[in-house]
Amino acid sequence: MDQLPAAFERAGNEESWAVADAISRVLENSEELRSWRRRLLSACMKGLVAMYSSNKDESRQEVERSMLLRLEELLRVVGEVDPDDWYNLVKTGLKYRYTDEAFLKVLNVAFQLLYKTESSLSQ
């Protein structure tokens, strides 16, 4: 289970995310669920960075949209991110997807969730 999130980082690997969803359902009432979701959030951000860097032409919009929805959902549940992952996502996303409405919408939601006054990132 510790090594699975690395597989989720690969750009466009939807089958792996189906496994992640199944594991999340199994861990639903477990103490490990929060840690698992944090690793998934990190993998999701790294996957989006890889996707944006390798597909500068926006040719895989459906896969990106699905990852953005997953990112938004995980951000709402976890409520915190690794600062390095966050920086890389924002930097790469704004570089390659600054006109993509779906990316900007999720980025706006993320700012609202992560930079509220009780958040560690707001400091």
Side-chain angles (χ1 to χ4, degrees), residues 24 41 49 52 104:
S24 294
L41 178 59
V49 167
Y52 292 160
L104 294 174

Side-chain angles (χ1 to χ4, degrees), residues 83-123:
D84 291 332
D85 291 341
W86 175 241
Y87 170 78
N88 288 330
L89 176 65
V90 172
K91 178 182 150 192
T92 307
L94 289 175
K95 182 175 182 179
Y96 297 113
R97 297 298 186 268
Y98 63 91
T99 60
D100 181 27
E101 184 178 338
F103 169 74
L104 294 174
K105 178 183 172 260
V106 171
L107 188 63
N108 184 38
V109 168
F111 281 140
Q112 291 175 13
L113 290 170
L114 297 173
Y115 290 97
K116 53 189 174 190
T117 54
E118 61 270 7
S119 169
S120 62
L121 280 178
S122 69
Q123 300 171 6

